[in-house]
Amino acid sequence: MIQIEKKNGWFDFKPLYGFFQDFADGVYQITIKRVRRARTLDQNAWLWGIVYPMLLKGLLDAGWEFTSIEQVHEFFKKQMTIDNVVNKDTGEVIEFPQSTSLMDTVTFSTYVDKLREYAREFLNMEIPDPDKALKRK
């Protein structure tokens, strides 16, 4: 993986030229993705300290028999972060939950928004915003 930075409206392509210098002749495909910060420690603290414990309580009140916050974590990863891998010959699909620890700040916020929506819709509970939640602790 190589990263190219844009400053003052200009890209510095020197690292890219150096990267391709020793490649053999041929056609290459480049995928461009904006680099984002990894989820923050505060986001993670809110998820594990407020969101998941509240969801655990709500799920227990709804009749589920979860025994830990880790089970709640795995349950929601499977519900909301699935990546599919398809066998092009057989059509078989394998599902893999994504790791929340590898999410960037935007993806992580979207994941937690989905958790809050689930809590409102299915558990009839409101999970507070991070600032309000952390001040209550």
Side-chain angles (χ1 to χ4, degrees):
M1 176 176 57
I2 190 163
Q3 293 184 5
I4 304 296
E5 187 173 2
K6 182 178 181 182
K7 283 187 180 177
N8 302 318
W10 295 93
F11 286 99
D12 176 8
F13 288 112
K14 289 178 196 161
L16 186 62
Y17 292 129
F19 182 75
F20 283 111
Q21 187 172 11
D22 294 329
F23 280 35
D25 290 346
V27 177
Y28 296 89
Q29 179 177 341
I30 300 172
T31 302
I32 298 175
K33 177 179 142 185
R34 185 172 192 163
V35 176
R36 298 188 187 268
R37 279 185 8 187
R39 71 171 188 194
T40 67
L41 293 176
D42 285 345
Q43 283 180 310
N44 193 53
W46 179 52
L47 177 68
W48 287 92
I50 304 294
V51 177
Y52 281 155
M54 288 184 73
L55 287 169
L56 176 58
K57 182 180 180 335
L59 290 165
L60 292 172
D61 291 346
W64 290 95
E65 295 182 353
F66 286 96
T67 59
S68 68
I69 292 172
E70 287 76 18
Q71 283 184 338
V72 172
H73 174 64
E74 293 301 323
F75 171 74
F76 283 111
K77 277 191 349 182
K78 186 168 170 57
Q79 296 294 314
M80 300 182 182
T81 70
I82 292 296
D83 261 345
N84 293 317
V85 176
V86 179
N87 181 315
K88 64 181 168 99
D89 295 328
T90 66
E92 179 183 9
V93 178
I94 299 173
E95 295 181 337
F96 295 97
Q98 295 176 4
S99 170
T100 59
S101 66
L102 300 177
M103 291 179 177
D104 61 39
T105 55
V106 174
T107 305
F108 191 84
S109 291
T110 302
Y111 171 67
V112 176
D113 285 345
K114 289 180 184 178
L115 295 176
R116 295 175 81 189
E117 185 178 312
Y118 181 97
R120 272 190 297 279
E121 186 173 341
F122 297 106
L123 303 176
N124 197 29
M125 62 189 309
E126 192 68 35
I127 296 175
D129 292 335
D131 291 341
K132 293 177 186 172
L134 293 175
K135 287 178 185 170
R136 280 190 351 191
K137 244 183 143 181

